[in-house]
Amino acid sequence: MKLVVVSAGLSVPSSTRLLADRLAAAVADRTPVDTEVIELRDLAVEIAHRFTSGFPGKALAAAQDAVTGADGLIVVTPVFSASYSGLFKSFFDVLDKDALAGKPVLIAATGGTARHSLVLDHALRPLFSHLRAVVVPTGVYAASEDWGAEGLPERIERAAQELAALMPKTERREEPGVVPFAEQLAALRATQEPRLPHPVR
């Protein structure tokens, strides 16, 4: 299965990317996935050109294809002005309108204070509901004081479990059962037994 992680962090290193990586690792602990991370800061110029030209650049087109083809999606944004970042919103604005329809999505955000935690339910959840994604019940918000504190690891694990449960399961091919030797021998004998001739009347 394909898990795609969209991180809108701007700095290097970034707490947004750190949260994205921890969420992805927690999902991978629960179900086998191939993970691809999309760093939106690397696509900022192409996103802007997409708005003005109407055509995506090569890197942006590849990112759009990855999101569209994902079996599950993790999206993480830093909080700016009590909402998601403009870069984050712009990326999802240039996606095809049906790209996320029915797709399971785990929403997450980072910020300097716990007062912005409502961004999950007041901004991110409505956005992805509008895009017809299936948003997992548990969103994950990490304020500066949450790193290394109680609560964040539990929220990460719970959200990862919910996303993994919604992702389609790979069907396993059933191996043919082993037929006991006695049964094989009996079947062989049955095919080789001579048939008695019909009695003459």
Side-chain angles (χ1 to χ4, degrees):
M1 287 187 294
K2 182 71 174 291
L3 174 67
V4 173
V5 182
V6 178
S7 171
L10 298 179
S11 59
V12 181
S14 160
S15 61
T16 300
R17 175 61 189 270
L18 176 60
L19 179 57
D21 288 344
R22 289 186 61 178
L23 288 165
V27 173
D29 285 342
R30 287 162 172 77
T31 188
V33 290
D34 292 322
T35 303
E36 179 177 349
V37 179
I38 297 171
E39 286 278 11
L40 294 187
R41 72 168 177 273
D42 298 333
L43 301 173
V45 173
E46 288 196 21
I47 291 172
H49 286 169
R50 166 63 178 78
F51 280 110
T52 56
S53 70
F55 299 98
K58 185 176 181 180
L60 177 57
Q64 291 174 319
D65 289 343
V67 169
T68 301
D71 296 300
L73 195 63
I74 296 173
V75 298
V76 192
T77 179
V79 174
F80 290 147
S81 301
S83 188
Y84 37 64
S85 73
L87 179 60
F88 181 87
K89 178 63 162 57
S90 295
F91 175 73
F92 290 101
D93 281 344
V94 299
L95 282 181
D96 182 83
K97 63 181 179 65
D98 297 321
L100 300 186
K103 195 177 300 296
V105 176
L106 191 167
I107 56 173
T110 58
T113 172
R115 290 178 297 175
H116 292 308
S117 62
L118 290 177
V119 69
L120 295 173
D121 292 323
H122 288 243
L124 285 166
R125 200 172 294 278
L127 170 63
F128 288 96
S129 294
H130 172 74
L131 295 172
R132 294 178 290 141
V134 180
V135 184
V136 303
T138 302
V140 181
Y141 178 82
S144 298
E145 62 266 25
D146 287 330
W147 297 102
E150 293 183 3
L152 180 59
E154 290 77 9
R155 294 197 300 276
I156 289 173
E157 295 297 323
R158 185 166 62 248
Q161 177 62 45
E162 292 168 355
L163 181 62
L166 287 173
M167 293 174 70
K169 303 303 179 188
T170 303
E171 293 186 1
R172 294 182 179 178
R173 185 184 303 172
E174 293 293 333
E175 295 294 334
V178 177
V179 179
F181 178 74
E183 290 184 25
Q184 295 182 43
L185 186 59
L188 181 62
R189 284 177 178 166
T191 62
Q192 294 178 347
E193 286 180 356
R195 293 184 179 180
L196 296 176
H198 292 290
V200 178
R201 296 184 182 222

